[in-house]
Coordinates of all heavy atoms in Angstrom, one line a residue:
Chain F
T16 N 11.5 44.6 -7.8 CA 12.6 44.2 -6.8 C 12.1 44.4 -5.4 O 11.4 45.4 -5.1 CB 13.9 45.0 -7.0 OG1 13.5 46.3 -7.3 CG2 14.7 44.4 -8.1
I142 N -21.9 33.2 -5.5 CA -21.2 32.0 -5.0 C -22.3 31.0 -4.4 O -23.1 31.4 -3.5 CB -20.2 32.3 -3.9 CG1 -19.1 33.2 -4.5 CG2 -19.6 31.0 -3.3 CD1 -18.2 33.8 -3.4
A149 N -27.9 22.1 -4.5 CA -28.9 21.1 -4.5 C -30.2 21.6 -5.2 O -30.9 20.8 -5.8 CB -29.2 20.7 -3.0
A290 N -8.8 16.0 -1.2 CA -7.4 16.2 -0.8 C -6.6 15.0 -1.3 O -7.1 13.8 -1.2 CB -7.4 16.3 0.7
P303 N 12.6 19.0 -7.4 CA 13.8 18.2 -7.1 C 14.8 18.9 -6.1 O 15.5 18.3 -5.4 CB 14.4 18.1 -8.5 CG 13.3 18.3 -9.5 CD 12.4 19.3 -8.8
E358 N -26.9 8.1 25.7 CA -27.3 9.0 26.8 C -26.4 8.7 28.0 O -26.0 9.6 28.7 CB -28.8 8.8 27.2 CG -29.7 9.5 26.2 CD -29.7 8.9 24.8 OE1 -29.7 7.6 24.8 OE2 -29.7 9.6 23.8
G380 N -5.9 14.5 50.8 CA -5.8 15.9 50.8 C -4.8 16.4 49.9 O -4.9 17.6 49.4
I394 N -15.2 18.1 23.8 CA -15.7 16.8 23.5 C -15.7 16.6 22.0 O -16.4 17.4 21.3 CB -17.1 16.6 24.1 CG1 -17.1 16.9 25.6 CG2 -17.6 15.2 23.9 CD1 -18.5 17.1 26.2
S402 N -23.7 15.0 18.6 CA -23.6 16.1 19.6 C -24.8 16.2 20.4 O -24.8 16.7 21.5 CB -23.3 17.4 18.9 OG -24.5 17.8 18.1
E407 N -27.6 17.6 25.4 CA -28.7 17.5 26.3 C -28.2 17.3 27.7 O -28.7 17.8 28.7 CB -29.7 16.4 25.9 CG -30.7 16.9 24.8 CD -31.4 15.9 24.1 OE1 -31.4 14.7 24.6 OE2 -32.1 16.2 23.1
L434 N -30.2 36.7 3.2 CA -29.0 36.8 2.3 C -29.4 36.7 0.8 O -28.9 37.4 0.0 CB -28.0 35.8 2.6 CG -27.2 36.0 4.0 CD1 -26.4 34.8 4.3 CD2 -26.4 37.3 3.9
L539 N -41.0 40.4 6.0 CA -40.4 39.3 6.8 C -40.6 39.6 8.3 O -41.0 38.7 9.0 CB -38.8 39.3 6.5 CG -38.3 38.2 5.6 CD1 -36.8 38.4 5.5 CD2 -38.6 36.9 6.2
D577 N -21.4 44.0 -1.1 CA -20.8 42.9 -1.8 C -19.9 42.1 -0.9 O -19.9 40.8 -1.0 CB -20.0 43.5 -3.0 CG -20.9 44.0 -4.1 OD1 -22.1 43.6 -4.0 OD2 -20.5 44.8 -4.9
R663 N -26.1 1.9 19.9 CA -26.2 3.2 19.2 C -27.7 3.4 18.9 O -28.5 2.5 19.0 CB -25.4 3.1 17.9 CG -24.0 2.6 18.1 CD -23.2 2.9 16.9 NE -23.1 1.7 16.0 CZ -23.5 1.8 14.7 NH1 -24.0 2.9 14.2 NH2 -23.4 0.7 14.0
V671 N -19.9 -2.7 19.0 CA -18.7 -3.2 19.5 C -17.7 -2.1 19.7 O -17.7 -1.2 18.9 CB -18.1 -4.2 18.5 CG1 -16.7 -4.6 18.7 CG2 -19.0 -5.5 18.4
T694 N -24.9 -6.3 26.8 CA -26.1 -7.0 27.2 C -25.9 -8.4 27.5 O -26.6 -9.1 28.1 CB -27.1 -6.9 26.0 OG1 -26.5 -7.4 24.9 CG2 -27.6 -5.5 25.9
A715 N -15.2 -8.1 28.6 CA -15.6 -9.5 28.3 C -15.6 -10.3 29.6 O -14.9 -9.9 30.5 CB -14.6 -10.1 27.3
D762 N 7.5 10.7 37.9 CA 8.3 11.4 36.8 C 9.4 10.5 36.3 O 10.0 10.8 35.3 CB 9.0 12.6 37.4 CG 8.0 13.6 38.0 OD1 6.8 13.5 37.5 OD2 8.3 14.2 39.0
P768 N 3.1 5.3 34.4 CA 2.4 6.6 34.6 C 1.1 6.5 35.4 O 0.2 7.3 35.3 CB 2.1 7.0 33.2 CG 2.0 5.7 32.4 CD 2.7 4.7 33.2

Side-chain angles (χ1 to χ4, degrees):
Chain F
T16 38
I142 299 169
E358 283 69 40
I394 304 168
S402 67
E407 278 165 13
L434 289 171
L539 257 177
D577 289 341
R663 308 196 267 119
V671 165
T694 52
D762 304 330

